Amino acid sequence: MDKNIKRQFESVRREYDKLKQGAIDDLSAYRSGMERVRSEASKYKDEKAYIDEHSGDLKYSTRKKIEESEKEFCDYIHGTIIPALRTALVDHMTAAPDRAFMQTLTYYNEFGIKLDSAEVKALSYDASGNSLALRCLASVAEKSGVSVRFPTVKEYSGIIDRLEKMAQPPLLFAGSMDYINEAAQVMPDMPLRRADGSIYGTAGRPSSTYLITQIQSVESIMKAVDNAGEKWAAQVVPEISEYKPYKDEDTGEEVTAAEQRAQDKLTAAQMIDAEDTATAEDEARRMGAEMAEANRKANEGLQYYINGGRSV
């Protein structure tokens, strides 16, 4: 498992949790402050005028805190995380496959040796999660009618793009559904965004629906980030020189570098799906035939009804 990739994704989660808790704390403090203002306003004849006068500074200071937190989060994503992930992606794409593995694939390919799904799964272990090796394996297996599926570079590139597009302030991120009303009072106007996330104008005050959607959108992206981090980290198997022996806390036995790498290779192999396409095609044909027969019977029934109960 590539510890550096995992650390990068974990740091995104850590900074996001910090952003989320900060928004909740700031809006909670704003709520408490407004409660004090309203309580004090009850002592005055013109309560609304008192509230309007004393709530302005509170709204401004809360908005500034939230905006600063959002900028800090977005700067970290764009300045640290995105470059690191794009570099890691290039490394993942261009990492040279194991020569012995590629030689084995060459034998299958040159001599037309048929592969089945079990052999593909076994070979995927020695691919060690290498992107080019898996693509070559998929190409060779396809000639034997075996479909190979695994997390692709496009999948990882897509989550980087989503993260980059999302991390453009203002986020108008309330942190929790519990503070939607406060967020509607404090947040800046809703931004109008281009396809790349950049802003070209505003669309007035944020509605509750908009703020709820923002929370759901950011949460959805963060869930995808977590999933991508787990998959990517599991798919990359370092060279054996990068492992250090350690003692198992439960058994007290030493876990060697070879044992660690073998476990990581197994984890990477478990992410590979291999399916005999002939079997899948047979199943598709069977289902198609069943649907056709069901449609035929339905049409017969309809014609029987149309003809007043007479067979056609």
Side-chain angles (χ1 to χ4, degrees):
M1 176 181 296
D2 191 302
K3 301 296 190 296
N4 184 53
I5 289 175
K6 191 169 182 64
R7 279 195 294 269
Q8 295 294 343
F9 280 101
E10 286 174 345
S11 69
V12 175
R13 166 56 65 176
R14 187 167 56 251
E15 290 300 314
Y16 167 72
D17 289 343
K18 178 182 172 184
L19 172 73
K20 181 175 181 176
Q21 190 58 52
I24 291 172
D25 291 344
D26 291 337
L27 292 173
S28 176
Y30 171 78
R31 175 186 288 178
S32 299
M34 285 301 297
E35 288 173 354
R36 288 192 295 271
V37 169
R38 294 190 188 96
S39 177
E40 193 65 23
S42 64
K43 301 175 184 178
Y44 294 83
K45 183 176 181 179
D46 192 343
E47 293 186 27
K48 184 179 182 305
Y50 182 91
I51 292 172
D52 289 343
E53 178 184 352
H54 291 82
S55 64
D57 288 344
L58 187 57
K59 286 181 182 179
Y60 176 79
S61 62
T62 303
R63 178 184 296 183
K64 291 299 292 182
K65 289 178 183 177
I66 291 174
E67 287 178 342
E68 288 171 4
S69 296
E70 290 184 352
K71 184 177 185 304
E72 182 180 347
F73 172 76
C74 294
D75 285 350
Y76 180 73
I77 296 299
H78 283 271
T80 301
I81 295 300
I82 298 300
L85 290 181
R86 292 210 185 280
T87 298
L89 187 63
V90 171
D91 291 343
H92 183 54
M93 289 169 55
T94 58
D98 179 75
R99 294 184 67 178
F101 173 83
M102 295 302 293
Q103 185 63 61
T104 299
L105 280 190
T106 300
Y107 294 147
Y108 277 97
N109 193 48
E110 288 187 356
F111 294 102
I113 302 172
K114 296 284 285 184
L115 279 163
D116 59 28
S117 58
E119 285 178 290
V120 170
K121 289 290 289 183
L123 284 168
S124 69
Y125 175 85
D126 286 327
S128 300
N130 181 273
S131 178
L132 183 55
L134 289 172
R135 290 169 65 188
C136 291
L137 174 60
S139 178
V140 173
E142 185 179 19
K143 296 176 182 178
S144 296
V146 179
S147 172
V148 180
R149 294 181 299 277
F150 52 90
T152 63
V153 167
K154 183 178 180 181
E155 180 179 336
Y156 301 138
S157 177
I159 194 61
I160 296 173
D161 291 342
R162 286 183 68 188
L163 192 57
E164 185 175 37
K165 181 179 176 180
M166 178 270 285
Q168 299 192 48
L171 304 181
L172 278 70
F173 180 62
S176 169
M177 301 293 185
D178 294 337
Y179 294 99
I180 294 299
N181 290 335
E182 287 75 19
Q185 298 169 31
V186 167
M187 296 292 185
D189 288 350
M190 295 181 290
L192 293 171
R193 298 185 184 273
R194 300 181 181 88
D196 64 356
S198 61
I199 298 173
Y200 65 89
T202 58
R205 299 299 302 144
S207 64
S208 296
T209 301
Y210 177 89
L211 293 168
I212 290 171
T213 300
Q214 280 299 100
I215 291 177
Q216 293 172 337
S217 175
V218 175
E219 291 278 9
S220 173
I221 291 173
M222 287 308 305
K223 183 176 181 180
V225 165
D226 290 338
N227 290 338
E230 289 295 328
K231 285 184 179 180
W232 193 348
Q235 192 176 350
V236 178
V237 181
E239 293 301 317
I240 195 165
S241 59
E242 297 181 46
Y243 293 88
K244 302 297 180 185
Y246 69 90
K247 278 195 174 183
D248 187 294
E249 293 182 358
D250 295 326
T251 65
E253 296 180 358
E254 183 181 85
V255 182
T256 68
E259 288 172 330
Q260 294 174 56
R261 191 167 195 266
Q263 181 56 54
D264 284 351
K265 286 177 67 175
L266 179 60
T267 300
Q270 288 170 341
M271 301 178 67
I272 312 303
D273 288 328
E275 180 182 8
D276 189 330
T277 54
T279 301
E281 289 168 1
D282 289 343
E283 179 65 13
R285 282 194 290 269
R286 183 189 65 78
M287 292 179 64
E290 288 183 357
M291 291 178 64
E293 178 63 14
N295 287 333
R296 185 187 66 77
K297 289 182 178 179
N299 286 330
E300 283 184 357
L302 179 61
Q303 290 299 320
Y304 184 81
Y305 173 78
I306 291 173
N307 290 312
R310 298 189 302 276
S311 299
V312 292

